[in-house]
Amino acid sequence: MGIDLEGKYLFDLNYLDCSKSQYVSYLKQMGYRVEALYYNCLDSTNEIMIQIIKQKKSRYHFDELGFQHSDWQLIGLEKRDIHSESLYNIQEGIKEIIDSGNIVFVSVDTFYLPHRKQSYQKEKSPHSIMIKGFHDNLIDIIDETAPIFSKFQYPISELEIAYKNGCGFRYISYFEPITFNNMDDLKEKTKKLFQDFIDNRNETYELFDSVDDLLKLKSPYFNNLVETLQHLSASFTLLAGSREMFVHFANFVDFDDEVLNLAKKSSRIADSLRNMLNKGILRNRVKENLVLEKVNTLWEIEIKLNQLLLR
């Protein structure tokens, strides 16, 4: 199980956090049908509203439903997590895992990593990196410099500081192949999982219904325009990424073209909304009528998509 990710593109970073985007990117490059695990990525606008607007989370802390521990088994993998208070204590084990052809994923704090220029010595920020090799006391790591992966090298002493002073996630992870049935079974299983998900999904389109009040600063959640636009941008970034991931799943399980086309339109319009809102952040103003027009168009598409899926 080995592949060099340096120079390869990241997948689905608009929706997934850093660790899950790394898992997906690595496993897709390895040929695993990770899109089968996107069966519950079609988050409702209600859920996005709750987490990003009401709870004021950043999009990187959005708690999506996917990629639970048992999910990996669907595509023939077991995710192994090993806890240790120190990298020194498990460095021989890490070497063995790498020598067997695996990449090792490690949780660190980027406050201590010079190559993470935005947060280095500025703010505590949990992050995932990938260990791909050892050279004497130096460790080769892979990390994203979006939109691609790049290689960096650190003494184990420096990486140990970033590991031990992180946010409590003191573990390493890697993937091992297990018995896999066949592709037809995988499609049927994930179709059923999707149907269970969509039948229990709560969607009242609360996010769309709230945009007007949010922009006018009449909502109870924000009283500052830039902060409002930042969280709306995060909301529509997640929406765009969610629908893009769903397109991959819908393709995998052979959904109708009408479903695919509506999901693609939804992702595209949500992404253009994100861009419009990001410009507003820079200018500290936004053309509310244009935003609302695009929101209403997106709302109509989402209604049609959900009606098709709930037949």
Side-chain angles (χ1 to χ4, degrees), residues 88-123:
Y88 283 113
N89 295 344
I90 54 172
Q91 61 178 312
E92 293 306 316
I94 293 173
K95 289 176 183 176
E96 287 180 17
I97 294 166
I98 292 169
D99 289 343
S100 68
N102 289 287
I103 277 179
V104 173
F105 301 86
V106 184
S107 297
V108 294
D109 195 309
T110 59
F111 183 86
Y112 304 97
L113 298 180
H115 78 274
R116 302 290 301 186
K117 293 181 173 57
Q118 286 188 323
S119 54
Y120 177 59
Q121 298 295 308
K122 296 174 186 173
E123 62 177 353

Side-chain angles (χ1 to χ4, degrees), residues 105-144:
F105 301 86
V106 184
S107 297
V108 294
D109 195 309
T110 59
F111 183 86
Y112 304 97
L113 298 180
H115 78 274
R116 302 290 301 186
K117 293 181 173 57
Q118 286 188 323
S119 54
Y120 177 59
Q121 298 295 308
K122 296 174 186 173
E123 62 177 353
K124 303 278 282 182
S125 181
H127 186 55
S128 172
I129 59 172
M130 294 165 281
I131 296 179
K132 64 164 290 187
F134 281 78
H135 298 285
D136 298 321
N137 288 321
L138 296 176
I139 298 180
D140 291 333
I141 70 166
I142 297 289
D143 194 10
E144 68 247 23

Side-chain angles (χ1 to χ4, degrees), residues 21-78:
S21 180
Q22 289 172 8
Y23 300 160
V24 163
S25 300
Y26 171 58
L27 294 172
K28 278 188 177 183
Q29 294 286 356
M30 291 294 298
Y32 285 91
R33 300 305 300 269
V34 181
E35 59 270 25
L37 306 188
Y38 296 174
Y39 64 85
N40 54 6
C41 72
L42 199 68
D43 287 293
S44 68
T45 64
N46 294 28
E47 189 58 39
I48 294 173
M49 175 80 183
I50 289 167
Q51 293 195 45
I52 304 301
I53 304 298
K54 294 181 180 179
Q55 297 176 358
K56 300 186 180 182
K57 289 184 180 181
S58 80
R59 72 178 178 88
Y60 299 109
H61 295 133
F62 183 74
D63 188 17
E64 80 287 332
L65 293 171
F67 306 103
Q68 300 304 310
H69 202 77
S70 59
D71 283 339
W72 300 107
Q73 298 169 12
L74 291 166
I75 59 170
L77 290 165
E78 188 76 48

Side-chain angles (χ1 to χ4, degrees), residues 258-276:
E258 190 174 4
V259 169
L260 285 164
N261 290 334
L262 284 169
K264 287 176 184 175
K265 283 182 183 177
S266 179
S267 179
R268 187 168 60 248
I269 294 172
D271 191 56
S272 68
L273 261 169
R274 181 262 298 269
N275 291 334
M276 188 181 292

Side-chain angles (χ1 to χ4, degrees), residues 53-260:
I53 304 298
K54 294 181 180 179
Q55 297 176 358
K56 300 186 180 182
K57 289 184 180 181
S58 80
R59 72 178 178 88
Y60 299 109
H61 295 133
F62 183 74
D63 188 17
E64 80 287 332
L65 293 171
F67 306 103
Q68 300 304 310
H69 202 77
S70 59
D71 283 339
W72 300 107
Q73 298 169 12
L74 291 166
I75 59 170
L77 290 165
E78 188 76 48
K79 182 172 176 280
R80 309 286 189 190
D81 298 324
I82 300 173
H83 173 81
S84 176
E85 290 299 315
S86 168
L87 287 179
Y88 283 113
N89 295 344
I90 54 172
Q91 61 178 312
E92 293 306 316
I94 293 173
K95 289 176 183 176
E96 287 180 17
I97 294 166
I98 292 169
D99 289 343
S100 68
N102 289 287
I103 277 179
V104 173
F105 301 86
V106 184
S107 297
V108 294
D109 195 309
T110 59
F111 183 86
Y112 304 97
L113 298 180
H115 78 274
R116 302 290 301 186
K117 293 181 173 57
Q118 286 188 323
S119 54
Y120 177 59
Q121 298 295 308
K122 296 174 186 173
E123 62 177 353
K124 303 278 282 182
S125 181
H127 186 55
S128 172
I129 59 172
M130 294 165 281
I131 296 179
K132 64 164 290 187
F134 281 78
H135 298 285
D136 298 321
N137 288 321
L138 296 176
I139 298 180
D140 291 333
I141 70 166
I142 297 289
D143 194 10
E144 68 247 23
T145 49
I148 63 169
F149 289 105
S150 298
K151 187 174 81 171
F152 303 92
Q153 202 172 61
Y154 281 91
I156 188 170
S157 56
E158 287 189 28
L159 210 58
E160 172 79 346
I161 293 169
Y163 179 81
K164 292 188 75 169
N165 290 281
C167 300
F169 305 119
R170 294 193 184 97
Y171 61 85
I172 65 167
S173 302
Y174 66 101
F175 291 92
E176 282 187 341
I178 59 173
T179 303
F180 173 72
N181 293 324
N182 61 61
M183 205 58 67
D184 289 337
D185 283 350
L186 179 59
K187 287 184 180 183
E188 286 307 309
K189 282 181 184 176
T190 49
K191 265 187 180 178
K192 173 69 166 58
L193 288 167
F194 171 75
Q195 203 56 56
D196 291 344
F197 161 73
I198 205 72
D199 288 345
N200 291 289
R201 178 172 173 261
N202 180 33
E203 178 60 279
T204 63
Y205 309 101
E206 184 179 8
L207 175 65
F208 301 139
D209 203 27
S210 303
V211 171
D212 191 17
D213 282 349
L214 284 163
L215 291 177
K216 289 182 168 64
L217 302 182
K218 291 182 178 178
S219 82
Y221 307 112
F222 304 101
N223 55 18
N224 174 278
L225 180 61
V226 168
E227 187 182 11
T228 302
L229 296 177
Q230 287 170 338
H231 283 267
L232 279 173
S233 171
S235 298
F236 288 109
T237 299
L238 281 166
L239 189 62
S242 163
R243 277 47 179 171
E244 183 182 8
M245 287 179 68
F246 173 70
V247 168
H248 297 317
F249 173 76
N251 262 318
F252 175 71
V253 295
D254 305 316
F255 278 173
D256 291 343
D257 285 345
E258 190 174 4
V259 169
L260 285 164

